[in-house]
Amino acid sequence: MNAIELTKTLIGYDTVSPKSNVEVMDFLTDTLESVGCEVERVEYNDPAGTLKVNLIGRKGRNTSERGLALLGHIDTVPAIGWSENPFEARIVGDKMYGRGSCDMKGSVACMIEVASRYDASDLHAPLYVVITADEEVGYFGARAVAEKSEMFKQHGFPQYGVVGEPTELKAVYAHKGAVRFSVTAHGRAAHSSTGEGDNANLKLIPFLSEMREVHQELTTDTQYYNSEFTPPFTDWNITISDGECTANITAPRSVCTINYRPMPGDDPQVWIDRGRDAAEKYGLAFDLFINAGPVRTPPYADIIQAALEITGDTKPHTVAYSTDAAVFSKHMETVIIGPGSILQAHTVDEWMALDQFEKGSSIFSQFVDRFCVSSNLR
Ligand SMILES: [Zn+2]
């Protein structure tokens, strides 16, 4: 099993989050089985009603050990404005281009390559490869795995988890969470000259004014700062859309969407309630669609210490973006570490440096050696 070849194949599947992932997961079911994993498919319908599949591959004998999970996602963000076909991998020089090369089909391929290297009989604690859906849009896949997996019900959750998001193979012990909600004002479209319209944008303005105050508080009041992060404050990023309503029509609908990243120690509910209460006060519809808490594994935890020894780094890092660890860290001791750079994730003409494949596989296999192979078990 070769991670570079496998990544090329995976890029060929368009797995932008809202689309069905059944085809790629059928392929990956066969792939995981071909490298000796027992495979569970965990299915659910996403908020739009589309069937989504998550996979859990398990390798190892039945023991009382709970083992290690390598955790990745197969969905990607959309690919708009690319110079070439984003769903056809291209190697140019020392880079592989393609949507998901870096975030994070390349990393998933490294995990499967690593799983292929071990005989089940060598593993005295089980090795899992978990591949989720919908990471990019709210961790729905990870949630389904955590709630519904029969394998985890039977064997217990793995003791340790490695979330292989692109960190340039640096060990990350904490990240911000993700909260997103929208508030919608409804009006009535009419030619603006007639006086017959009802402008939804006007209804949104007092709400926006309150949200600006929240933004001010969260970004300037140092009691909400957390010096473990750069920047030490959250965003409270406000976007507005009236569907590009033309200036001589009264906007029939206006939507404000706010993105907030709670940090360890924050109480996200306080700020969600600020948004909800303000929406209710002005008669606007409130819709919370992402609510994932922050992650913080203590730096002294086994998995973080192991990551530091493996990478030769002196201290673990934090990042400002969120991952499936928002869900999985509630069930296992988790580190975030993987090949590729977040600077290339989500970009037009996304790429991954070719040397990251070998380095990624090497780091993942050192976790397996340490936590799944008997002579190394603590
Ligand atoms: Zn990702």
Side-chain angles (χ1 to χ4, degrees):
M1 183 59 58
N2 176 278
I4 290 180
E5 291 306 314
L6 180 55
T7 306
K8 283 190 195 164
T9 306
L10 293 176
I11 288 171
Y13 291 91
D14 174 357
T15 56
V16 172
S17 305
K19 297 189 176 168
S20 166
N21 69 358
V22 172
E23 215 183 318
V24 72
M25 290 312 211
D26 286 348
F27 167 75
L28 282 170
T29 300
D30 292 344
T31 307
L32 284 166
E33 285 176 350
S34 77
V35 301
C37 291
E38 173 194 350
V39 179
E40 179 187 8
R41 292 165 73 99
V42 179
E43 301 185 347
Y44 67 100
N45 287 320
D46 75 10
T50 303
L51 177 69
K52 295 289 173 64
V53 181
N54 305 277
L55 298 181
I56 307 172
R58 182 180 193 274
K59 199 168 193 180
R61 302 177 304 188
N62 283 329
T63 69
S64 57
E65 298 284 346
R66 285 159 49 212
L68 170 81
L70 302 174
L71 303 141
H73 65 83
I74 203 67
D75 62 312
T76 71
V77 294
I80 296 159
W82 281 53
S83 53
E84 307 267 354
N85 180 358
F87 305 112
E88 189 180 324
R90 285 175 301 121
I91 292 180
V92 181
D94 56 359
K95 294 170 183 157
M96 183 192 292
Y97 291 86
R99 175 54 89 219
S101 53
C102 166
D103 186 10
M104 59 178 285
K105 290 176 172 177
S107 184
V108 167
C110 290
M111 294 172 186
I112 296 173
E113 182 188 286
V114 166
S116 76
R117 292 179 185 171
Y118 294 86
D119 274 341
S121 59
D122 294 334
L123 298 171
H124 290 246
L127 167 63
Y128 294 90
V129 176
V130 179
I131 308 171
T132 63
D134 286 334
E135 190 273 348
E136 299 289 0
V137 291
Y139 320 106
F140 306 127
R143 269 199 190 122
V145 167
E147 284 165 16
K148 293 166 69 170
S149 165
E150 291 301 325
M151 214 180 249
F152 290 163
K153 279 185 190 130
Q154 184 189 343
H155 299 288
F157 282 98
Q159 188 168 5
Y160 302 105
V162 175
V163 175
E165 289 280 348
T167 68
E168 295 174 83
L169 295 166
K170 292 189 179 113
V172 168
Y173 72 100
H175 65 59
K176 297 180 182 181
V179 170
R180 194 173 298 174
F181 63 85
S182 69
V183 166
T184 305
H186 293 283
R188 188 174 57 252
H191 196 292
S192 59
S193 66
T194 63
E196 297 295 319
D198 181 15
N199 189 330
N201 286 333
L202 289 175
K203 298 178 181 175
L204 209 52
I205 288 171
F207 171 79
L208 290 173
S209 169
E210 289 201 20
M211 293 305 101
R212 182 179 57 180
E213 282 169 28
V214 174
H215 175 268
Q216 195 70 6
E217 278 176 56
L218 283 171
T219 55
T220 62
D221 189 335
T222 55
Q223 69 169 305
Y224 303 121
Y225 281 23
N226 184 331
S227 61
E228 288 180 294
F229 290 90
T230 309
F233 50 82
T234 179
D235 52 355
W236 180 265
N237 192 46
I238 300 171
T239 68
I240 47 178
S241 170
D242 64 0
E244 298 192 48
C245 185
T246 305
N248 59 2
I249 296 175
T250 52
R253 185 167 182 271
S254 189
V255 182
C256 167
T257 302
I258 293 181
N259 198 73
Y260 157 59
R261 297 172 195 270
M263 295 182 280
D266 288 349
D267 181 358
Q269 201 55 48
V270 170
W271 304 100
I272 294 169
D273 288 347
R274 280 281 286 273
R276 190 193 307 266
D277 292 350
E280 277 173 14
K281 183 161 77 177
Y282 300 113
L284 309 170
F286 178 92
D287 187 21
L288 175 66
F289 45 92
I290 299 179
N291 186 4
V295 169
R296 189 178 190 282
T297 304
Y300 56 77
D302 281 354
I303 191 78
I304 305 294
Q305 288 300 313
L308 291 179
E309 285 168 29
I310 289 167
T311 56
D313 210 346
T314 49
K315 62 178 182 44
H317 303 263
T318 64
V319 291
Y321 51 88
S322 186
T323 73
D324 273 346
V327 175
F328 290 126
S329 67
K330 292 183 186 136
H331 304 283
M332 54 191 95
E333 203 178 279
T334 307
V335 65
I336 300 106
I337 181 170
S341 167
I342 197 68
L343 296 178
Q344 275 88 51
H346 300 198
T347 55
V348 170
D349 298 332
E350 174 182 349
W351 53 269
M352 181 136 100
L354 290 179
D355 70 342
Q356 289 289 294
F357 288 95
E358 203 183 315
K359 287 181 181 161
S361 295
S362 165
I363 297 252
F364 290 154
S365 70
Q366 289 178 70
F367 280 102
V368 179
D369 289 343
R370 189 173 287 248
F371 291 111
C372 302
V373 175
S374 67
S375 54
N376 299 310
L377 286 177
R378 297 162 184 228

